[in-house]
Amino acid sequence: MKNKLLPRLAFVLLTAELLLLLVSWLLSAMPSLEVRSLLSGEGVRWLSGRLSDSLATPLLVWILLLGMGYGTLRRSGLLSSASNIRRNRIALWGVGVVLLVFVAVVILLTAVPHAIMLSVTGHLFPSPFSAALVPMLAFGLFLVSVVYGTLSGRFATLSDVYESLLTGLRSTAVFLLFYLLLAQLYFTARFAFTLYLPPL
């Protein structure tokens, strides 16, 4: 069912994009609506030059980083850890120590007076911490997974860690495709209907 649903959903999004091109062209003929045509000179220039800038949002980076973190987590064996095996118990203790150090570092960066990850007004949201929250989580996931995988013997070489990162990137392919389709649809609609769609 999933194999049939996702291609159909992608096709629907592509069709919606094509319809948006046509609708923007038709509605731009009505001056009272203030709609910009995506098929005009301005629209074609925007599609060919500015759309890629619009697609490069932090969300795209977050999908990639979380995908790599998930790949290392899955390949490390931490999700299916058998705690009755001595080597796995040692690996779990190692993960616990790393987690404590990681949390302590985050607390030092955010909770002490004049912490460097706080905003100018001393708040967590918005702040450098909130901007870096997803990358920090992805790094923590990667760190914990590599420690567990190394101590448990699942990651015997650097190539094993490298392969786990690639596994994670492969697992994000579906999300990347739909991110690109949805983001393109949104940003082209934003261009055509600037007065009617608020910015993100």
Side-chain angles (χ1 to χ4, degrees), residues 18-110:
L18 293 174
L19 283 173
L20 180 61
L21 294 175
L22 182 60
V23 168
S24 71
W25 175 66
L26 291 172
L27 293 180
S28 66
M30 302 177 197
S32 60
L33 291 179
E34 296 187 42
V35 173
R36 292 190 285 186
S37 171
L38 290 158
L39 297 177
S40 67
E42 181 189 17
V44 171
R45 283 192 300 274
W46 183 84
L47 282 170
S48 59
R50 296 288 306 279
L51 182 60
S52 58
D53 294 336
S54 300
L55 294 177
T57 66
L59 184 57
L60 179 60
V61 178
W62 295 349
I63 291 170
L64 293 171
L65 291 175
L66 289 173
M68 289 189 290
Y70 172 72
T72 54
L73 180 66
R74 198 172 79 184
R75 291 287 290 266
S76 71
L78 183 57
L79 293 175
S80 57
S81 172
S83 58
N84 58 338
I85 299 172
R86 184 174 183 272
R87 192 165 188 175
N88 288 356
R89 283 201 307 270
I90 293 170
L92 285 172
W93 276 103
V95 165
V97 170
V98 168
L99 266 177
L100 282 174
V101 171
F102 184 75
V103 169
V105 168
V106 170
I107 289 171
L108 288 173
L109 291 172
T110 57

Side-chain angles (χ1 to χ4, degrees), residues 141-158:
L141 195 60
F142 170 77
L143 188 63
V144 164
S145 302
V146 168
V147 167
Y148 182 86
T150 303
L151 293 177
S152 67
R154 295 290 290 266
F155 294 154
T157 64
L158 188 59

Side-chain angles (χ1 to χ4, degrees), residues 151-165:
L151 293 177
S152 67
R154 295 290 290 266
F155 294 154
T157 64
L158 188 59
S159 296
D160 294 332
V161 177
Y162 175 76
E163 280 301 317
S164 72
L165 290 169

